Amino acid sequence: MSGNLVVALLLLLPIRQALAQPKETPEEGIPVTNQLVIDKCSACHKRDEKGNLSRISWERTTPEGWELAIKRMVRLNGLSLTPEEARQIVRYLSTYHGLAPEEAKPAMYQAERRIQDETPPNDFTKEACMVCHTYGRVISWRRSKEEWDLLTKMHIGYFPVIETQGFRRPPQPPNAPPPPPGTDTRDNVERAVEFLAKTFPLHTPEWAAWRAGMRAPKLAGRWLVSSTQIGRGRIYGEMVIEPTANPDEFTTNAKLVQVKNGTTSTRSGRAVLYAGYAWRGRSTSSDSDDAKQAREVMMVARDQSQIEGRWFWGGYDEFGVDVTLRRAGSDPVVFGVDRLALKTGSTGERIEIYGDNLPTGLAPTDLDLGSGVTIKRILNQSARSLSVEVDVAQDALVGKRDVAVRRAVATGAFALYDKIDYIKVHPGDAMARLGGSGHPKGYQQFEAIAYNRGPDNKPNTADDVSLGPVDATWSMEEFYAVYGDDDKDFVGTLSPTGLFTPAGEGPNPKRKFGRNNYGDVWVVATYQPKDAPSDAKPLTARGYLVVTIPLYVRWDQPEVAE
């Protein structure tokens, strides 16, 4: 036998062995039944006898995920769609090839545009995926094992550098000792695919249960709004949701009141509900100081009695309101109060209680703010609010208190304290972006939160009581990273209300080496409690702020709200 023939047979041996291996039974796909999706996608995605479209039938994701996939098809593969066709395709895929609420919730911060410190599940997924993506984006997809593997191959095709950047293990030096027995020496990408296919598979009990019980959304009616905005405090009001000709589309009209200053505003908008729970909307405000245009990302509860999420706006979605909507009924409801904290031993304190359908003709005995808090008299009352005057006993126990108006209760609505022990800057770690010339600025709002040391009488422990925001004095200090650091003088300005406005982007000839205005600083809050002794030192706290360059590449999908 010739040497060439031997070499050829040796080369063919792995192929013959692979062919001899029994093939794994492919996973059942999710058939595509929408004719528009079939017409527009089947030219590239082959349709089988079961109605599956290749790739598509073995994937599930959020509206933002499908939006991103469709954009990629348009940019790279010649897909031609009208805006209306794109909307219909996103709606169908997000509903019938989407996520169950239990699957979507852990990744909601991704769609809600929240900055979150992520913890990698393991080192190999961190190296293979999180060098480029947030983990929130990864966990917002469900795929078959084959699809997870094909996804990595697509990345190699589009971005070859990823092989050496994160997919493959770095080569060991020639003289490196062998790894200990049992060490998994596979590349990061192989281990990541195995982990993702097991942790985020195509078929799950949650999705099966949700698909079986999915029902048409019945959200029309009046909803009670409770929300909080950093720097502005609590906002209460109502929203009227009305159906449109499309069963999954709604119009909205809201009336909101800022508790801090009593100003009112209205919002009108439109929303689409995907998969029976995923609210994506846009709304416009009448308040010139508020967000003129805001996006709304919320999740409807399974019993359709509550809706929670975030409304946000800004060049980088940095401004936002945490919102909870509860379906209004005929029973009284208490939202909360205008005072988040009362000091023990105080007298004649006026409190405004906000609610809906509050009874008329109330007496002080109909209200309960907990032991040690005496309601002296009711000053004003209406169906939406109550003004009461209270005294707080000197020996009242500190901690969170409920507000009860007969049988309507707001739990943990305010706190009692005997002393403000310390404050914290919120957020403690933040980021802003330079801009103003060719790119938008990325602002950052801060607030100072006061705390009581809690029942254990020790500060900075788990039982400490939050007393809410206080009116602090704001300043910036240098975060010294190198000798001669001068970031504080160039990164931007901080307003008396804690709003950071970044400087302009681009080289600055006034800086050393003509650098851009990027940098990092400490944001410092200083607060002196009104009842503190005259010789007491003010309370101070600081947060870390990174001011960086504009975001030059955007991967957002705002159209899902349209």
Side-chain angles (χ1 to χ4, degrees):
M1 184 179 294
S2 68
N4 289 339
L5 183 57
V6 171
V7 171
L9 290 174
L10 289 174
L11 291 174
L12 286 173
L13 182 59
I15 299 176
R16 295 180 62 186
Q17 290 175 337
L19 292 174
Q21 295 291 329
K23 293 184 177 181
E24 294 184 10
T25 303
E27 296 181 52
E28 286 292 326
I30 303 173
V32 175
T33 59
N34 182 273
Q35 193 58 48
L36 179 61
V37 177
I38 295 171
D39 293 342
K40 290 295 182 177
C41 304
S42 60
C44 296
H45 296 272
K46 184 180 178 181
R47 192 162 187 250
D48 65 18
E49 67 280 359
K50 296 182 179 180
N52 297 313
L53 291 183
S54 61
R55 306 299 301 273
I56 296 174
S57 289
W58 285 269
E59 298 176 335
R60 295 189 289 114
T61 187
T62 61
E64 288 78 14
W66 284 120
E67 175 88 23
L68 184 65
I70 290 173
K71 282 184 175 181
R72 188 172 68 247
M73 298 301 105
V74 171
R75 288 196 313 268
L76 302 179
N77 297 328
L79 176 63
S80 177
L81 294 173
T82 66
E84 179 56 32
E85 288 173 336
R87 283 191 286 267
Q88 291 184 35
I89 291 175
V90 170
R91 288 186 193 184
Y92 171 79
L93 293 176
S94 301
T95 298
Y96 298 99
H97 298 250
L99 300 183
E102 298 85 355
E103 296 172 321
K105 192 168 185 177
M108 276 295 288
Y109 68 90
Q110 179 84 8
E112 291 174 343
R113 306 296 290 168
R114 298 180 189 271
I115 295 178
Q116 181 162 317
D117 189 12
E118 297 181 317
T119 302
N122 46 62
D123 289 340
F124 49 84
T125 302
K126 175 184 175 181
E127 295 298 327
C129 305
M130 295 177 69
V131 290
C132 297
H133 300 300
T134 63
Y135 192 54
R137 180 164 165 182
V138 175
I139 67 176
S140 62
W141 284 83
R142 299 294 185 275
R143 292 180 167 93
S144 66
K145 187 177 186 305
E146 182 183 12
E147 275 303 312
W148 281 115
D149 186 57
L150 289 173
L151 178 69
T152 65
K153 291 177 170 56
M154 183 196 75
H155 278 68
I156 294 172
Y158 286 151
F159 315 105
V161 70
I162 192 59
E163 286 229 70
T164 55
Q165 190 178 35
F167 276 9
R168 306 301 176 192
R169 288 163 49 92
Q172 297 298 308
N175 58 348
T183 301
D184 193 335
T185 59
R186 292 177 298 168
D187 285 325
N188 294 326
V189 65
E190 295 177 78
R191 300 178 68 186
V193 166
E194 181 181 72
F195 168 77
L196 295 173
K198 180 179 179 180
T199 311
F200 307 110
L202 177 66
H203 298 289
T204 64
E206 294 81 8
W207 176 245
W210 180 251
R211 282 289 296 117
M214 189 187 302
R215 51 198 175 92
K218 299 185 184 299
L219 305 180
R222 191 169 68 93
W223 294 74
L224 306 178
V225 180
S226 299
S227 58
T228 304
Q229 181 179 345
I230 183 172
R232 291 196 175 185
R234 295 186 175 184
I235 302 170
Y236 298 129
E238 66 176 26
M239 174 186 283
V240 176
I241 300 178
E242 296 179 347
T244 66
N246 294 321
D248 55 358
E249 282 190 26
F250 302 89
T251 60
T252 61
N253 287 281
K255 297 178 181 178
L256 306 172
V257 178
Q258 288 188 29
V259 173
K260 188 174 183 179
N261 54 24
T263 60
T264 61
S265 63
T266 61
R267 301 198 70 87
S268 59
R270 194 176 188 92
V272 179
L273 197 69
Y274 300 94
Y277 73 91
W279 177 288
R280 302 293 188 268
R282 286 183 179 269
S283 59
T284 303
S285 174
S286 65
D287 187 353
S288 59
D289 294 330
D290 201 353
K292 278 295 181 182
Q293 296 284 341
R295 288 168 58 189
E296 300 173 355
V297 174
M298 298 190 291
M299 180 178 287
V300 179
R302 183 179 289 268
D303 63 359
Q304 299 185 2
S305 65
Q306 187 165 298
I307 309 175
E308 289 185 312
R310 183 173 186 251
W311 302 348
F312 51 89
W313 61 94
Y316 295 95
D317 305 320
E318 67 270 31
F319 297 107
V321 183
D322 296 322
V323 180
T324 298
L325 278 68
R326 291 179 291 178
R327 194 184 292 274
S330 57
D331 294 332
V333 174
V334 178
F335 295 147
V337 295
D338 64 339
R339 305 280 296 276
L340 296 182
L342 291 174
K343 193 175 188 300
T344 57
S346 58
T347 60
E349 296 283 358
R350 178 167 177 159
I351 295 180
E352 193 81 11
I353 301 173
Y354 293 89
D356 187 66
N357 292 328
L358 297 176
T360 58
L362 292 169
T365 54
D366 294 318
L367 281 66
D368 189 349
L369 276 66
S371 61
V373 182
T374 302
I375 300 169
K376 296 175 61 177
R377 57 178 175 149
I378 296 176
L379 304 174
N380 294 297
Q381 58 181 300
S382 69
R384 298 291 179 84
S385 64
L386 294 169
S387 295
V388 300
E389 183 179 334
V390 304
D391 291 342
V392 184
Q394 185 68 49
D395 59 352
L397 295 176
V398 301
K400 289 291 185 180
R401 296 302 182 91
D402 300 340
V403 174
V405 180
R406 291 184 180 168
R407 288 183 294 177
V409 180
T411 59
F414 72 102
L416 294 186
Y417 72 98
D418 58 356
K419 179 186 176 184
I420 296 178
D421 292 291
Y422 64 94
I423 62 173
K424 285 185 178 181
V425 171
H426 176 70
D429 299 292
M431 182 176 68
R433 290 187 181 273
L434 304 170
S437 177
H439 298 83
K441 291 187 175 184
Y443 299 83
Q444 181 63 63
Q445 177 70 58
F446 293 91
E447 63 182 4
I449 308 296
Y451 288 86
N452 177 267
R453 63 196 178 283
D456 68 357
N457 207 32
K458 297 178 181 179
N460 296 298
T461 56
D463 70 343
D464 289 4
V465 181
S466 172
L467 307 178
V470 293
D471 294 327
T473 301
W474 294 95
S475 61
M476 288 192 299
E477 293 179 356
E478 192 65 59
F479 181 93
Y480 288 103
V482 296
Y483 289 111
D485 224 346
D486 61 353
D487 297 340
K488 178 174 69 70
D489 301 324
F490 295 99
V491 294
T493 59
L494 196 61
S495 79
T497 59
L499 176 63
F500 177 79
T501 301
E505 81 271 34
N508 186 345
K510 295 182 180 180
R511 296 204 72 177
K512 294 177 182 179
F513 314 112
R515 290 182 297 164
N516 206 324
N517 290 317
Y518 59 80
D520 47 356
V521 295
W522 291 114
V523 173
V524 182
T526 304
Y527 177 68
Q528 182 66 278
K530 295 179 181 179
D531 53 1
S534 58
D535 59 345
K537 291 184 178 180
L539 302 174
T540 61
R542 62 184 185 179
Y544 178 59
L545 172 64
V546 174
V547 185
T548 186
I549 60 175
L551 188 63
Y552 295 112
V553 179
R554 302 296 295 268
W555 299 99
D556 194 17
Q557 291 80 54
E559 295 87 350
V560 297
E562 301 176 355

